[in-house]
Amino acid sequence: MITVNHLTVDFGKRLLFDDVSFVIGDKERVALVGKNGAGKTTLLKILAGEEQPTSGTLSKNREL
């Protein structure tokens, strides 16, 4: 399970996400869609632990 609480990401003056929260349950499938520059890759990098959000929390199972 992945739980994201109050995630905020900004790049200087550019606000990419603000106060985003969601839960992805075990065995649940999701799609991530959006226009170019919307932050899809940034969100995936945060979920993978490659980047850190400006603020907010992320928790996930160790097996993930």
Side-chain angles (χ1 to χ4, degrees):
M1 179 171 4
I2 298 173
T3 304
V4 173
N5 289 307
H6 307 292
L7 188 76
T8 298
V9 175
D10 62 39
F11 294 106
K13 293 184 178 183
R14 181 171 183 211
L15 183 62
L16 201 55
F17 306 120
D18 186 28
D19 199 30
V20 173
S21 298
F22 61 87
V23 175
I24 302 173
D26 293 336
K27 299 184 181 182
E28 199 170 21
R29 294 180 182 201
V30 297
L32 183 60
V33 295
K35 65 180 183 173
N36 290 346
K40 299 178 299 290
T41 301
T42 301
L43 179 59
L44 291 175
K45 286 181 178 181
I46 291 170
L47 294 176
E50 295 177 12
E51 292 188 11
Q52 296 298 315
T54 304
S55 65
T57 60
L58 166 73
S59 61
K60 56 186 175 179
N61 291 344
R62 291 184 183 176
E63 302 87 36
L64 206 58

